[in-house]
Amino acid sequence: ASEGVFDWKVFLENKNKEITRLNNVYQNFVLKNAGVEVIEARGSLTGPNSIEVHTTATGETSTLTAKNILIAVGGWPFKPDIPGIEHAITSNEIFYLEEQPKRMVVVGGGFIALEFASIMDGLGSDVTLMYRGDLFLRGFDDDMRTHLREEMENNSGIDVKFNTDPKEIRKQEDGSLLVIDQDGNEIECDSILYATGRKGKIDG
């Protein structure tokens, strides 16, 4: 068999189709069959047993009351406050990029950072992984962490840089990005992805 060919645009189309399919399954089968009413709106707590519901599509506002209210809004990626951080993306945006980055910097040392560094390396991007600590996956088994470091350094195309923390991101005239670390070292890339944890999405 001949070597396969990867097409980013076809990949995105298939990703969007699968997300639509899964949403339909949950909306019209799982939740509906369980008797759950789904309201697409913004909710704000107004008391221990009440929520103000603002429906964006209609502009209408109503109030819901319940004995118990569960807040399950999920998380939102955290990005540090450094110059040029507005040029960085997160795992939320990576699979919405119109073109696959040829050169990519991934910042972080958790499993999300390692996953995306490995995925993009496997898809053909030149990947640099930056982590501010001595060894990634803090809190996991040390033998596994060491083995994974050896595998990434010896059997992948990922350039792993420990004790490295970006301090500035500059957008250049040709649209590429220049990432500058704490020691003044510079790396050019087409996209920089931050995978440095998540915080609860509770801001209004």
Side-chain angles (χ1 to χ4, degrees):
S2 60
E3 184 176 347
V5 177
F6 176 73
D7 188 307
W8 181 263
K9 294 187 184 300
V10 172
F11 166 69
L12 294 187
E13 290 173 1
N14 290 333
K15 179 266 301 182
N16 291 335
K17 289 178 182 178
E18 179 61 10
I19 290 175
T20 300
R21 186 190 71 82
L22 288 174
N23 283 338
N24 179 64
V25 169
Y26 279 103
Q27 179 92 5
N28 297 317
F29 295 95
V30 178
L31 296 176
K32 185 177 181 180
N33 291 341
V36 176
E37 179 186 2
V38 178
I39 302 173
E40 295 186 359
R42 176 185 291 273
S44 301
L45 288 170
T46 55
N49 304 103
S50 60
I51 298 177
E52 182 179 85
V53 179
H54 177 72
T55 305
T56 306
T58 63
E60 297 178 353
T61 299
S62 58
T63 299
L64 293 178
T65 59
K67 179 182 178 181
N68 298 303
I69 297 173
L70 171 66
I71 301 174
V73 293
W76 199 255
F78 167 77
K79 294 193 293 185
D81 184 16
I82 64 170
I85 194 63
E86 67 273 12
H87 303 305
I89 64 171
T90 68
S91 57
N92 284 7
E93 299 87 28
I94 177 63
F95 291 138
Y96 288 93
L97 296 177
E98 293 184 2
E99 296 182 359
Q100 179 182 351
K102 291 183 175 62
R103 303 165 299 171
M104 187 167 210
V105 170
V106 177
V107 182
F111 58 87
I112 298 297
L114 270 61
E115 282 179 355
F116 277 100
S118 298
I119 288 169
M120 298 309 294
D121 171 62
L123 295 179
S125 297
D126 292 330
V127 178
T128 299
L129 176 66
M130 294 183 173
Y131 178 51
R132 63 185 180 180
D134 295 327
L135 185 60
F136 42 50
L137 295 178
R138 184 179 60 183
F140 287 78
D141 179 78
D142 284 342
D143 288 342
M144 185 202 70
R145 297 168 69 201
T146 301
H147 176 69
L148 188 56
R149 181 196 66 198
E150 293 171 351
E151 287 295 315
M152 293 183 74
E153 290 178 339
N154 298 323
N155 297 315
S156 81
I158 302 171
D159 183 9
V160 182
K161 295 184 179 297
F162 294 111
N163 300 302
T164 304
D165 196 14
K167 291 302 179 184
E168 184 179 356
I169 304 168
R170 296 178 188 169
K171 189 161 189 175
Q172 305 188 105
E173 291 185 1
D174 62 358
S176 65
L177 301 175
L178 186 68
V179 182
I180 305 170
D181 70 15
Q182 78 277 12
D183 295 322
N185 299 309
E186 300 178 349
I187 293 181
E188 286 191 345
C189 64
D190 303 301
S191 183
I192 176 170
L193 182 148
Y194 266 80
T196 48
R198 287 181 172 249
K199 293 187 174 182
K201 195 175 186 301
I202 57 175
D203 294 336

